[in-house]
Each structure stands twice: as structure tokens, then as C-alpha cells.
Amino acid sequence: MVVISSVSCFTFTILASLFIFSYAQVPCSNYTFVSHQHFNSCIDLPHLDAHLHWTYFPSVNKVAIAYRAGQDPSGWIAWAINPTDTGMVGSQALVAFYDSNGSITTYTTPISSYSPSMQPGDLSFQVSNMSAEYTNNEMIIFAVLGPLNNQTNFNHAWQAGDTVSNNIPQMHTTTGPNVLSFGEIDFLSG
Ligand SMILES: *[C@@H]1O[C@H](CO)[C@@H](O)[C@H](O)[C@H]1NC(C)=O
Ligand SMILES: *[C@@H]1O[C@H](CO)[C@@H](O)[C@H](O)[C@H]1NC(C)=O
Ligand SMILES: *[C@@H]1O[C@H](CO)[C@@H](O)[C@H](O)[C@H]1NC(C)=O
Ligand SMILES: *[C@@H]1O[C@H](CO)[C@@H](O)[C@H](O)[C@H]1NC(C)=O
């Protein structure tokens, strides 16, 4: 999954030179966190201007992640793994947005239906060291997940929405990239 063929590299080079005057997209492997965190692996996700960075710690079955995605300050971002299913229901999600008090906030929320409350709640695994930041028009969620029950390969999904109301992320678009933003991730790869 992390393997990039020479064809797509070539295509990327052409696209990069075509769009050189608009925006130089930095591949995740070249990205430097302002707060100096380092992660061993990363993937540029195919939708929603999103990137996942991680370091897996096999001895404790934990993974440190940073999920970052382009977003306006008024919107929200989320990333989730689903340990039990392929769909949205069962997703164990991390969300971030600007709280109405003006600070960027992040918390965990389990998705148990297609109209989830999006209220803070515990996930099916431990999450620690959570923080969020807003840098260069991107929201970034940092967290340590696990222990992960000896599983490293997960269905994952990521999402974004334009509005937050009373500190609750509101419904995302249900067409286009917002319904394509899922896949599989193996924390042992990369
Ligand atoms: C990414 O980093 C590599 C190695 O340092 C460098 O050769 C390459 O030009 C960088 N690419 C971009 C788009 O910054
Ligand atoms: C803003 O609210 C968040 C909870 O969403 C809280 O963690 C944070 O401490 C608050 N910040 C300020 C400056 O009041
Ligand atoms: C989590 O935070 C604790 C306390 O700040 C720190 O000691 C630990 O190294 C962090 N864990 C990871 C995996 O970053
Ligand atoms: C994970 O695997 C290790 C080594 O195989 C084993 O000792 C441990 O009991 C397993 N833990 C779980 C939660 O299955």
C-alpha cells in the first residue's frame, strides 16, 4: 500500500511541475512537524488532503500516530480505525476542531450508528498522549493508541466536515471524496 510505483512517481513529477505556481505538495516522508515529533512511517492518503504518520512499538502493541489534513479553522477532521468491521459503524474515532473558547481540541468518540452523537467517549482500546495543533492550514491530531490486542492490520477511515456547532462536529458531505476516504492500514508496514 505504501509502495509508490515509478509510474505514479513520474505522474506526480509532471503534476508537481504543472502546479508549481499554485501549491507545492510536500510528500509525507518530507514533512517536518513544527513541534519536532518524529514518526517512522507515513502515507499520503488518497482523499481529503490527508496524511497519516506513525511509529509502531511492537513490545507494547502501541502505535504513536499523527493524522493531519488540510482544513479551515471553522471545520473538523477525524481519523478512525475499525477493529471489527469495514464500515463507519464500529469505528473508533479521534476528532479535532476549534472549541468555541478558541483553542484547538481533540478527543475520542466511538461511532456506534450512522448518526453518531460525536460526543467524547472511550474507545475499545486505550488512547493516551492526545493533542492537536493547527499549522499551515492543517489540523493535526497526535495520539498514542493501544495496547492493540496483537493486531496491526486495521480498516481505517478518515473524514472532514465544514461546520462545528456548540462544540459538536456536524454532518460531513455524503458524496465525492467523503465517501471514498477509507482503506486498510498495517502499522508494521512502511
Ligand atoms: C523530499 O526529500 C528528498 C530527500 O531529502 C528530496 O530529494 C526531494 O527533493 C524532496 N521532495 C520535495 C517535494 O520536497
Ligand atoms: C477550551 O475547551 C477545551 C475543551 O474543549 C479545554 O480542554 C480547554 O482547556 C479550554 N481552553 C481554554 C483556554 O479555556
Ligand atoms: C506519552 O507521554 C508521556 C508523558 O508525557 C511520555 O513519557 C511518553 O514518552 C509518551 N509516549 C509516547 C509513545 O510518545
Ligand atoms: C500478544 O502476543 C504475545 C506474544 O505472542 C503474547 O504473549 C500476549 O499474550 C498476546 N497478547 C494478547 C492480548 O493477545
Side-chain angles (χ1 to χ4, degrees):
M1 180 194 329
V2 184
V3 176
I4 300 167
S5 72
S6 55
V7 174
S8 63
C9 279
F10 181 66
T11 308
F12 177 79
T13 307
I14 291 175
L15 288 174
S17 47
L18 281 176
F19 293 117
I20 197 141
F21 296 113
S22 51
Y23 180 61
Q25 185 83 47
V26 179
C28 68
S29 52
N30 285 42
Y31 184 83
T32 307
F33 288 92
V34 173
S35 36
H36 303 297
Q37 288 93 332
H38 175 78
F39 297 90
N40 291 344
S41 309
C42 73
I43 181 171
D44 293 310
L45 296 167
H47 304 286
L48 302 175
D49 190 13
H51 315 265
L52 184 70
H53 301 251
W54 73 91
T55 300
Y56 182 65
F57 301 100
S59 62
V60 288
N61 289 314
K62 292 187 179 186
V63 62
I65 66 102
Y67 172 74
R68 60 187 178 87
Q71 182 57 289
D72 290 334
S74 54
W76 58 269
I77 64 163
W79 173 81
I81 61 178
N82 190 333
T84 54
D85 209 345
T86 52
M88 175 173 157
V89 174
S91 289
Q92 305 294 305
L94 289 68
V95 301
F97 54 86
Y98 269 99
D99 189 282
S100 54
N101 70 16
S103 51
I104 192 159
T105 185
T106 182
Y107 60 74
T108 59
T109 181
I111 307 296
S112 53
S113 79
Y114 283 101
S115 53
S117 73
M118 299 304 282
Q119 299 279 1
D122 287 342
L123 303 187
S124 61
F125 46 82
Q126 288 174 42
V127 179
S128 58
N129 299 44
M130 279 192 94
S131 64
E133 66 181 46
Y134 193 75
T135 302
N136 295 327
N137 301 314
E138 289 185 327
M139 289 186 178
I140 311 178
I141 300 171
F142 298 97
V144 176
L145 316 186
L148 290 173
N149 219 4
N150 285 0
Q151 184 182 357
T152 62
N153 193 58
F154 290 93
N155 297 306
H156 75 140
W158 59 103
Q159 201 46 268
D162 294 339
T163 9
V164 176
S165 179
N166 295 323
N167 291 329
I168 307 287
Q170 301 296 300
M171 188 69 190
H172 59 80
T173 305
T174 53
T175 56
N178 294 80
V179 293
L180 298 171
S181 50
F182 62 92
E184 281 184 36
I185 187 93
D186 190 339
F187 294 129
L188 283 179
S189 71

